[in-house]
Amino acid sequence: MPNILMPALSPTMEEGKLSKWLVKVGDTVKPGDVLAEIETDKATMEVESVDSGKVTSILVPEGTEGVKVNTPIALVLDEGEAAPTAEAVKDPSPGADAPTSPPGGEVEQSAAAVTPLPGGRGPSEARGEGALPAAPATPAPHFIPAADPDLPAGVEMVEMTVRQALNEAMAEEMRRDEDVFVMGEEVAEYQGAYKITQGLLQEFGPQRVVDTPITEHGFAGIGVGAAFAGLRPIVEFMTWNFAMQAIDQIINSAAKQLYMSGGQVHAPIVFRGPNGVASRVGAQHSQDYSAWYSHVPGLYVVAPFSAADAKGLLKSAIRSNNPIVFLENEILYGSTGLVPKVDDFLLPIGKARLARAGKDVTIVSFSMGMRYATQATEKLVAAGVDVELIDLRTLRPMDSATVIESVKKTGRLVTVEEGWPQGGIGAELCARVVAEAFDYLDAPPTRVTGKDVPMPYAANLEKLALPNVDEVVAAVNAVTYRGG
Amino acid sequence: MARKPATKAEKSALSNIPELSKDEELKAYRDMLLIRRFEEKAGQMYGMGLIGGFCHLYIGQEAVVTGITMASQKGDAQITGYRDHGHMLVMGLDPKRVMAELTGRQGGLSKGKGGSMHMFSNEHRFYGGNGIVGAQVSLGTGLAFAAKYRGDNSVSITYFGDGAANQGQVYESFNMAKLWNLPVVYIIENNRYAMGTSVERATAQQDFSKRGLSFNIQGEQVDGMDVRMVHDAARRAIDHVRDGKGPYILEMMTYRYRGHSMSDPAKYRSKDEVTTMRAEHDPIEQVKNRILEKRYGTEDSLKAIETEVRALVTEAADFATADTEPAPSELWTDIYADA
Ligand SMILES: Cc1ncc(C[n+]2csc(CCOP(=O)(O)OP(=O)(O)O)c2C)c(N)n1
Ligand SMILES: [Mg+2]
């Protein structure tokens, strides 16, 4: 009978605090009984017994921090069952790597079930669909954004997550302009499925932070209509996958309105939410819409990578008089960066950022692609390749001037994105570079993209479907004619 | 304003509570227990990192799919959302292959390529396993369109949640289903919450059985925690649509015990609410008590069923843990059908 193991609340959880035991040695438990409470920075959950038996020992005292997932925390024995050997108790269970066979011997290693803990507990990350499943395939690189030229010298930089940066951007703009409001699924009482709107309901009230039913097409249209009438809606999609239900209102109603009204009616609205590949959520929940929206005249499309860009660009987006598609990335929400502490930090929409100056090859990417690109750049620079790295930040209008100028210098282009290859952002960049810098090219422009398949669920296939650092390095080696 | 399934039961027709036969009670018990134990194991395996992404458990709602499937016939089509493990099991699909899909292994029902939310069976005419809230309602109506087109006398059983019931395409589908008299039973699984949003906070007309009224679609509310009521209402609804009288709506008053998906801290409801539902309305306990009362079985014979079910689940978990991942070449297959 089982050793109770420290359970994982999500695939990203590696350890947690065992905050409280609700049973003691000698207690008899049955399935469903709550054994203990565990806490992570994101949530408080209960550990439930799956079997019945008697608690014979508690292996991790309450209050212990940093308990690794799958550590045995207690021993529950079936009536009449002999206690396992000490060795078996200690035997660490299979870790994150999928075990291929159950451990031999009498002791069945068994994690307890985890149930959510209802009731008002301290702050915890309310994640709904947001299992935030994403174990980033690649760790966050150390990346310090180049200071934008117009920042005052010596400005204080504050470290924050992309999540905080987005949250601050909305809060600041809502303080500044009463016409700005947020609507979407779980944005208010639940504090956001991915917690981007945390605290906004408390500060701005239910009139300005509006929970909607699950009706994407309807509330996107309501947002656009409200924008026609002069409000400045921020419409959150729980993820961009669900915005496909609403794409007609985004394109047919928002993007085309100014043009077809001969310049009379415009739609100042921001559609935002996590875009791109999450982790292990399968074909319908894991997709990059960058190219889709970048196709549409009348829309601005922003896809930031760093926390500073997330903040400065979202603030500008909310102030823009145009409909904006603001593509965030779930895996980047928790990554940190330095954000300048100035009263009103606005960044220009439509301007790429030079992340690193170099002369051998130009790598262009955006959003999550920048993570692969940055890591590849670190490797390549170490190997003696002087990489110039550009973060597009905005996909429409696309800052091709910056890219073309760079390629004129380096003669080589590698683009990196998670989306599909056909008609992608990389395809567009290649076309522009070929058209405008053909004579400067020393090698064919090359794309690194997600594979041309729907996203599979199996861990190994998902990994194969994504672009990776090695592919970027290989592409650079190819265009610089270096032996791989 | 909590709505109690127990009181809804009265509305579910009939002054006499429809009884199940001995065999039916025993089958319902076993099927529901299999779902319960399977889901508990899935929850555990998620905790161990063997299952990734989203994993939505059906615990608490077992009576719905069990009662309805008992009332349907071979050849009927079924479709649901992402909370689909129970549907697969009750149809008799191999628990090993269901669990292996959850762990993303080659022996899974979708070869590990679909995951928890995307499982299908041609043999049983089960069309998923759909991740986009509400999409299955139009799809299920399409299954009914095909049934009518072919005249094959099958019906479509289309499941969706209280949250999904607010999507626009649901009403577009209702309209066409009635307009064309399509053989579809809409099963609204009202478990009171759509993620963290209670029905009260999302819904103007909270009686979902009335959602078809303006299309002249008949509906009723059913105690979805009592498999007898579910079975009885399902039989009535399925007969109605099979007779060519057009669509029918059943609102199943049910409850999910666990969070929406695995890591939902569920602060939107009280602990008492959950405890009360489990203590007073548990679908499995209800059947168990009746079996003992009517002497359809003994503690020992029920224990034997439990043992058999546990063995199946353990076998499924072992298989799903030991099975290999799909071959890398599977990345590139199944994108297009053969010409
Ligand atoms: C179109 C769409 N919007 C949002 C989501 C995210 N989401 C997944 S399940 C869910 C709640 C659905 O609740 P309900 O229909 O009541 O079904 P239940 O989960 O209770 O079974 C939401 C909002 C989604 N998958 N698809
Ligand atoms: Mg629901």
Side-chain angles (χ1 to χ4, degrees):
Chain A
M1 246 308 76
N3 232 341
I4 306 296
L5 305 182
M6 181 74 172
L9 307 183
S10 77
T12 45
M13 173 174 162
E14 283 164 11
E15 56 177 45
K17 174 176 175 187
L18 205 164
S19 43
K20 193 165 162 202
W21 279 107
L22 296 154
V23 292
K24 53 186 187 322
V25 172
D27 285 358
T28 306
V29 295
K30 42 182 204 334
D33 284 358
V34 178
L35 303 173
E37 279 176 25
I38 57 177
E39 253 175 66
T40 65
D41 53 334
K42 294 162 185 138
T44 305
M45 307 283 277
E46 290 179 341
V47 183
E48 249 181 38
S49 181
V50 172
D51 295 285
S52 29
K54 192 177 229 173
V55 182
T56 54
S57 53
I58 283 182
L59 306 167
V60 175
E62 70 180 25
T64 311
E65 309 245 11
V67 183
K68 296 262 179 294
V69 164
N70 280 336
T71 312
I73 55 174
L75 196 56
V76 174
L77 290 184
D78 233 342
E79 309 293 336
E81 198 176 14
T85 62
E87 209 174 311
V89 176
K90 268 188 284 152
D91 191 19
S93 76
D97 287 339
T100 48
S101 63
E106 329 81 308
V107 180
E108 181 195 345
Q109 296 280 4
S110 150
V114 187
T115 5
L117 186 62
R121 207 47 69 129
S124 89
E125 183 162 35
R127 291 169 313 169
E129 195 65 346
L132 279 197
T138 44
H142 303 288
F143 186 80
I144 296 163
D148 271 63
D150 47 358
L151 279 178
V155 66
E156 188 191 342
M157 301 295 275
V158 183
E159 184 161 346
M160 66 175 76
T161 59
V162 169
R163 174 180 282 117
Q164 285 169 301
L166 294 166
N167 182 266
E168 277 193 3
M170 285 190 284
E172 286 177 17
E173 292 307 300
M174 289 177 80
R175 278 172 213 136
R176 184 180 162 273
D177 181 350
E178 284 201 344
D179 287 339
V180 178
F181 70 98
V182 189
M183 72 195 287
E185 292 158 25
E186 310 285 5
V187 297
E189 291 202 12
Y190 203 81
Q191 307 289 304
Y194 297 93
K195 261 186 59 178
I196 310 302
T197 54
Q198 187 172 35
L200 297 184
L201 172 69
Q202 283 63 28
E203 181 173 353
F204 301 103
Q207 155 117 352
R208 298 182 66 194
V209 186
V210 184
D211 275 327
T212 65
I214 311 170
T215 49
E216 288 84 5
H217 194 202
F219 69 71
I222 287 173
V224 177
F228 289 170
L231 296 182
R232 293 184 167 271
I234 304 170
V235 170
E236 173 173 311
F237 293 114
M238 191 176 285
T239 78
W240 277 94
N241 303 289
F242 314 142
M244 272 206 281
Q245 298 281 322
I247 198 167
D248 178 71
Q249 296 289 19
I250 299 170
I251 295 176
N252 264 329
S253 305
K256 300 173 182 175
Q257 183 69 13
L258 188 64
Y259 192 82
M260 66 191 184
S261 68
Q264 296 179 77
V265 183
H266 67 290
I269 183 169
V270 177
F271 302 102
R272 50 154 290 274
N275 171 58
V277 178
S279 172
R280 306 292 308 282
V281 292
Q284 291 183 330
H285 282 70
S286 236
Q287 184 166 329
D288 179 3
Y289 292 91
S290 303
W292 293 49
Y293 291 104
S294 88
H295 190 61
V296 184
L299 289 181
Y300 283 162
V301 183
V302 182
F305 168 60
S306 71
D309 289 349
K311 180 166 183 189
L313 287 167
L314 183 53
K315 279 170 66 76
S316 296
I318 296 167
R319 282 192 210 179
S320 167
N321 284 331
N322 288 293
I324 309 239
V325 165
F326 198 91
L327 303 170
E328 300 157 10
N329 186 291
E330 183 191 330
I331 293 173
L332 295 178
Y333 279 152
S335 72
T336 54
L338 298 174
V339 179
K341 192 173 178 180
V342 291
D343 276 349
D344 217 6
F345 179 55
L346 295 165
L347 288 173
I349 290 171
K351 187 82 193 83
R353 184 171 51 82
L354 187 64
R356 183 185 194 278
K359 54 179 184 1
D360 293 342
V361 60
T362 302
I363 301 180
V364 184
S365 190
F366 58 94
S367 187
M368 185 61 192
M370 279 298 291
R371 186 172 277 186
Y372 308 114
T374 310
Q375 293 194 327
T377 297
E378 280 168 5
K379 278 193 175 178
L380 287 159
V381 170
V385 186
D386 193 10
V387 172
E388 178 142 311
L389 177 59
I390 295 172
D391 180 356
L392 280 180
R393 305 195 287 191
T394 300
L395 306 177
R396 174 182 271 271
M398 191 179 267
D399 185 0
S400 38
T402 296
V403 176
I404 284 159
E405 198 184 314
S406 170
V407 173
K408 283 183 177 170
K409 183 171 67 177
T410 63
R412 300 153 212 275
L413 173 70
V414 170
T415 66
V416 184
E417 68 193 303
E418 283 198 326
W420 291 312
Q422 181 162 334
I425 300 295
E428 179 63 25
L429 285 164
C430 291
R432 291 187 187 201
V433 161
V434 167
E436 293 175 51
F438 187 76
D439 291 339
Y440 297 84
L441 285 170
D442 295 320
T446 299
R447 292 172 290 167
V448 176
T449 67
K451 307 304 178 292
D452 202 11
V453 300
M455 187 56 64
Y457 167 73
N460 65 329
L461 298 185
E462 185 181 72
K463 213 165 161 187
L464 291 172
L466 290 167
N468 59 49
V469 174
D470 289 345
E471 287 174 356
V472 180
V473 170
V476 168
N477 285 338
V479 299
T480 53
Y481 306 109
R482 291 152 31 93
Chain B
M1 194 189 55
R3 299 173 353 129
K4 291 238 161 58
T7 58
K8 300 291 179 189
E10 288 139 33
K11 280 205 189 171
S12 166
L14 321 184
S15 44
N16 296 334
I17 293 185
E19 297 298 334
L20 293 179
S21 70
K22 175 182 173 186
D23 285 354
E24 286 169 336
E25 292 277 34
L26 287 169
K27 177 161 173 43
Y29 178 71
R30 184 202 172 269
D31 284 356
M32 292 198 284
L33 199 65
L34 176 60
I35 299 175
R36 176 76 53 97
R37 296 289 171 258
F38 181 95
E39 294 289 62
E40 285 165 354
K41 183 58 99 178
Q44 256 179 287
M45 290 174 68
Y46 191 94
M48 293 165 79
L50 286 164
I51 297 170
F54 299 134
C55 185
H56 309 86
L57 303 181
Y58 201 62
I59 296 178
Q61 301 178 217
E62 295 92 345
V64 177
V65 80
T66 303
I68 289 163
T69 305
M70 281 167 71
S72 71
Q73 285 178 9
K74 183 143 182 60
D76 290 345
Q78 300 207 31
I79 189 165
T80 187
Y82 42 81
R83 205 177 292 284
D84 59 351
H85 314 163
H87 297 68
M88 313 304 295
L89 295 171
V90 113
M91 251 175 276
L93 285 156
D94 185 349
K96 292 206 292 288
R97 301 198 58 204
V98 181
M99 197 65 98
E101 192 55 42
L102 268 53
T103 55
R105 307 303 167 92
Q106 63 163 9
L109 283 164
S110 302
K111 304 181 199 161
K113 292 161 85 166
S116 157
M117 297 188 286
H118 305 303
M119 290 187 271
F120 308 83
S121 166
N122 269 332
E123 185 198 343
H124 294 270
R125 300 206 63 215
F126 182 78
Y127 294 91
N130 294 277
I132 299 302
V133 167
Q136 76 270 32
V137 182
S138 307
L139 299 172
T141 308
L143 296 170
F145 185 94
K148 178 157 190 208
Y149 188 94
R150 291 223 175 89
D152 65 9
N153 205 35
S154 71
V155 308
S156 160
I157 299 170
T158 299
Y159 297 83
F160 53 105
D162 48 280
N166 293 322
Q167 285 284 34
Q169 58 184 313
V170 171
Y171 300 92
E172 301 176 17
S173 301
F174 281 4
N175 184 42
M176 288 181 273
K178 185 66 187 180
L179 184 66
W180 299 330
N181 246 18
L182 304 180
V184 50
V185 181
Y186 296 111
I187 310 285
I188 304 179
E189 293 195 68
N190 181 358
N191 59 10
R192 301 205 217 162
Y193 297 91
M195 281 178 79
T197 304
S198 64
V199 164
E200 292 76 9
R201 293 207 299 115
T203 289
Q205 169 53 274
Q206 291 171 27
D207 184 339
F208 289 97
S209 69
K210 293 190 180 146
R211 287 289 184 94
L213 279 189
S214 64
F215 307 97
N216 294 325
I217 301 176
Q218 218 171 308
E220 50 183 295
Q221 283 187 324
V222 182
D223 178 355
M225 305 299 274
D226 184 340
V227 71
R228 296 170 303 178
M229 304 303 260
V230 174
H231 175 256
D232 179 60
R235 218 175 29 193
R236 198 160 48 248
I238 290 172
D239 284 352
H240 174 101
V241 309
R242 214 187 297 282
D243 284 351
K245 296 181 189 153
Y248 202 95
I249 293 171
L250 295 179
E251 177 187 5
M252 294 291 166
M253 311 307 294
T254 181
Y255 200 75
R256 77 167 147 72
Y257 295 175
R258 296 293 182 91
H260 166 74
S261 62
M262 282 304 298
S263 57
D264 164 16
K267 296 210 241 162
Y268 43 81
R269 59 185 185 187
S270 74
K271 193 169 174 95
D272 259 8
E273 180 181 305
V274 184
T275 320
T276 310
M277 285 305 295
R278 289 170 83 140
E280 294 173 14
H281 300 283
D282 188 72
I284 300 176
E285 285 300 310
Q286 290 187 42
V287 180
K288 186 175 172 184
N289 292 339
R290 284 200 304 271
I291 289 175
L292 292 173
E293 236 167 65
K294 295 183 176 165
R295 301 183 194 281
Y296 288 164
T298 61
E299 290 281 2
D300 278 350
S301 67
L302 292 183
K303 187 114 198 190
I305 297 178
E306 169 100 35
T307 307
E308 181 245 342
V309 160
R310 274 183 186 270
L312 273 179
V313 169
T314 304
E315 192 191 5
D318 290 349
F319 176 78
T321 306
D323 192 22
T324 53
E325 291 186 310
S329 59
E330 282 293 344
L331 184 65
W332 300 101
T333 63
D334 304 320
I335 299 162
Y336 296 102
D338 293 340

